[in-house]
Amino acid sequence: MSTKPVIGLLLAAGLSSRYRAVSGRHKLLEAVPDGLPGAGTPLALCAARSLLAGTDAVLAIVRPEDEPLAGLLAASGCEVLGFASPGLGASLAFGVRARPEAGGWLVLPADLPFVRPSTVQAVRAALAVSPCAAPAYRNQRGHPVGFGARHYAALAALDGDRGARDLLETRGWQRIGVDDPGCVADIDVPADLEACLRPR
């Protein structure tokens, strides 16, 4: 088993255009509504805490001008890296290139605030025996997605808005069945938060 650190990558450099168009508010600073885990906590902070609980360190990729979010995540224990991201793939590649020495990376978009720490820990454990791993809830692939060090070159070369889906599809991934609806509950618009309040 590798003794190299497993690094969490919190992808928080998006523009959240759909959320802002509906609400006029910063999605990742939006407070979790009452009745959900982490009520009152900003969405991005919930995601960061889960990632911190299952990795050796977390790099938060944030737009350079987004000082409120950067300050919040730095105070939580993340190392914050400013990046004017043109898309998800570019953010992921930027984070991986920042830690080329890592034994692996766990990738979590910051708009998945309800991922359980136990899910993060399960993905990390799977990297000890598999080069790619991800949780699955009711047959739907979720996050975080874990990549071993052998995938450094492919991840570092990503660009634009397409993430690592092609890499997973072509090289395969270990499916980790979890009873965690939060691993597939990404928040794109305010109605998605309301949906999380309904029983699944």
Side-chain angles (χ1 to χ4, degrees), residues 19 30-41 43 114 190 193-194 196-197:
Y19 201 97
E30 190 85 315
V32 173
D34 290 342
L36 290 171
T41 305
L43 300 186
F114 306 120
L193 278 173
E194 297 166 10
C196 291
L197 289 164

Side-chain angles (χ1 to χ4, degrees), residues 137-138 140 180-182 184-186 192 195-200:
Y137 175 73
R138 296 183 179 177
Q140 182 179 353
D180 180 7
V184 296
D186 57 320
D192 293 332
C196 291
L197 289 164
R198 297 193 290 270
R200 288 177 177 246

